[in-house]
mmCIF file of all heavy atoms in Angstrom:
data_model
loop_
_atom_site.group_PDB
_atom_site.id
_atom_site.type_symbol
_atom_site.label_atom_id
_atom_site.label_comp_id
_atom_site.label_asym_id
_atom_site.label_seq_id
_atom_site.Cartn_x
_atom_site.Cartn_y
_atom_site.Cartn_z
ATOM 1 N N PHE A 240 -2.346 -7.687 14.453
ATOM 2 C CA PHE A 240 -3.428 -8.666 14.325
ATOM 3 C C PHE A 240 -3.018 -9.908 13.542
ATOM 4 O O PHE A 240 -3.700 -10.924 13.602
ATOM 5 C CB PHE A 240 -4.643 -8.018 13.643
ATOM 6 C CG PHE A 240 -5.295 -6.946 14.474
ATOM 7 C CD1 PHE A 240 -5.071 -5.610 14.218
ATOM 8 C CD2 PHE A 240 -6.117 -7.292 15.522
ATOM 9 C CE1 PHE A 240 -5.672 -4.612 14.975
ATOM 10 C CE2 PHE A 240 -6.727 -6.305 16.306
ATOM 11 C CZ PHE A 240 -6.495 -4.964 16.028
ATOM 12 N N GLY A 241 -1.924 -9.836 12.796
ATOM 13 C CA GLY A 241 -1.455 -11.005 12.064
ATOM 14 C C GLY A 241 -2.109 -11.135 10.701
ATOM 15 O O GLY A 241 -3.033 -10.397 10.329
ATOM 16 N N VAL A 242 -1.636 -12.128 9.951
ATOM 17 C CA VAL A 242 -2.148 -12.406 8.609
ATOM 18 C C VAL A 242 -3.260 -13.448 8.719
ATOM 19 O O VAL A 242 -3.110 -14.446 9.425
ATOM 20 C CB VAL A 242 -1.021 -12.922 7.691
ATOM 21 C CG1 VAL A 242 -1.536 -13.197 6.291
ATOM 22 C CG2 VAL A 242 0.118 -11.916 7.646
ATOM 23 N N PRO A 243 -4.409 -13.249 8.073
ATOM 24 C CA PRO A 243 -5.485 -14.259 8.122
ATOM 25 C C PRO A 243 -5.006 -15.605 7.617
ATOM 26 O O PRO A 243 -4.172 -15.702 6.713
ATOM 27 C CB PRO A 243 -6.566 -13.656 7.215
ATOM 28 C CG PRO A 243 -6.284 -12.191 7.190
ATOM 29 C CD PRO A 243 -4.794 -12.058 7.311
ATOM 30 N N SER A 244 -5.555 -16.664 8.205
ATOM 31 C CA SER A 244 -5.100 -18.014 7.876
ATOM 32 C C SER A 244 -5.450 -18.413 6.447
ATOM 33 O O SER A 244 -4.727 -19.160 5.810
ATOM 34 C CB SER A 244 -5.712 -19.018 8.860
ATOM 35 O OG SER A 244 -7.138 -18.939 8.816
ATOM 36 N N GLY A 245 -6.558 -17.932 5.911
ATOM 37 C CA GLY A 245 -6.976 -18.330 4.575
ATOM 38 C C GLY A 245 -6.492 -17.424 3.467
ATOM 39 O O GLY A 245 -6.907 -17.590 2.326
ATOM 40 N N TRP A 246 -5.624 -16.483 3.792
ATOM 41 C CA TRP A 246 -5.174 -15.531 2.771
ATOM 42 C C TRP A 246 -4.101 -16.155 1.900
ATOM 43 O O TRP A 246 -3.190 -16.829 2.396
ATOM 44 C CB TRP A 246 -4.640 -14.269 3.430
ATOM 45 C CG TRP A 246 -4.069 -13.286 2.452
ATOM 46 C CD1 TRP A 246 -4.745 -12.434 1.636
ATOM 47 C CD2 TRP A 246 -2.684 -13.073 2.174
ATOM 48 N NE1 TRP A 246 -3.885 -11.699 0.876
ATOM 49 C CE2 TRP A 246 -2.610 -12.069 1.181
ATOM 50 C CE3 TRP A 246 -1.499 -13.631 2.655
ATOM 51 C CZ2 TRP A 246 -1.398 -11.618 0.681
ATOM 52 C CZ3 TRP A 246 -0.299 -13.175 2.149
ATOM 53 C CH2 TRP A 246 -0.254 -12.182 1.176
ATOM 54 N N VAL A 247 -4.208 -15.939 0.586
ATOM 55 C CA VAL A 247 -3.234 -16.441 -0.377
ATOM 56 C C VAL A 247 -2.727 -15.249 -1.173
ATOM 57 O O VAL A 247 -3.530 -14.464 -1.698
ATOM 58 C CB VAL A 247 -3.856 -17.478 -1.340
ATOM 59 C CG1 VAL A 247 -2.836 -17.949 -2.364
ATOM 60 C CG2 VAL A 247 -4.394 -18.656 -0.552
ATOM 61 N N PRO A 248 -1.419 -15.050 -1.269
ATOM 62 C CA PRO A 248 -0.907 -13.885 -2.008
ATOM 63 C C PRO A 248 -1.219 -13.985 -3.489
ATOM 64 O O PRO A 248 -1.267 -15.071 -4.067
ATOM 65 C CB PRO A 248 0.605 -13.919 -1.732
ATOM 66 C CG PRO A 248 0.890 -15.339 -1.403
ATOM 67 C CD PRO A 248 -0.336 -15.867 -0.714
ATOM 68 N N LYS A 249 -1.426 -12.832 -4.099
ATOM 69 C CA LYS A 249 -1.661 -12.783 -5.532
ATOM 70 C C LYS A 249 -0.347 -12.965 -6.278
ATOM 71 O O LYS A 249 0.677 -12.430 -5.874
ATOM 72 C CB LYS A 249 -2.296 -11.441 -5.924
ATOM 73 C CG LYS A 249 -3.684 -11.232 -5.354
ATOM 74 C CD LYS A 249 -4.256 -9.912 -5.835
ATOM 75 C CE LYS A 249 -5.655 -9.695 -5.284
ATOM 76 N NZ LYS A 249 -6.219 -8.386 -5.731
ATOM 77 N N LEU A 250 -0.402 -13.739 -7.358
ATOM 78 C CA LEU A 250 0.782 -13.982 -8.170
ATOM 79 C C LEU A 250 0.843 -12.962 -9.293
ATOM 80 O O LEU A 250 -0.151 -12.715 -9.980
ATOM 81 C CB LEU A 250 0.759 -15.401 -8.747
ATOM 82 C CG LEU A 250 0.826 -16.540 -7.719
ATOM 83 C CD1 LEU A 250 0.768 -17.877 -8.429
ATOM 84 C CD2 LEU A 250 2.098 -16.444 -6.887
ATOM 85 N N ASP A 251 1.996 -12.401 -9.483
ATOM 86 C CA ASP A 251 2.222 -11.463 -10.573
ATOM 87 C C ASP A 251 2.549 -12.243 -11.835
ATOM 88 O O ASP A 251 3.400 -13.136 -11.828
ATOM 89 C CB ASP A 251 3.376 -10.521 -10.220
ATOM 90 C CG ASP A 251 3.451 -9.335 -11.182
ATOM 91 O OD1 ASP A 251 2.687 -9.332 -12.163
ATOM 92 O OD2 ASP A 251 4.264 -8.432 -10.935
ATOM 93 N N ASP A 252 1.858 -11.918 -12.924
ATOM 94 C CA ASP A 252 2.082 -12.645 -14.175
ATOM 95 C C ASP A 252 3.502 -12.489 -14.683
ATOM 96 O O ASP A 252 4.046 -13.379 -15.338
ATOM 97 C CB ASP A 252 1.100 -12.157 -15.243
ATOM 98 C CG ASP A 252 -0.339 -12.459 -14.867
ATOM 99 O OD1 ASP A 252 -0.529 -13.364 -14.034
ATOM 100 O OD2 ASP A 252 -1.246 -11.791 -15.390
#
Side-chain angles (χ1 to χ4, degrees):
F240 293 102
V242 181
S244 58
W246 176 77
V247 178
K249 295 182 179 179
L250 296 179
D251 193 354
D252 296 339

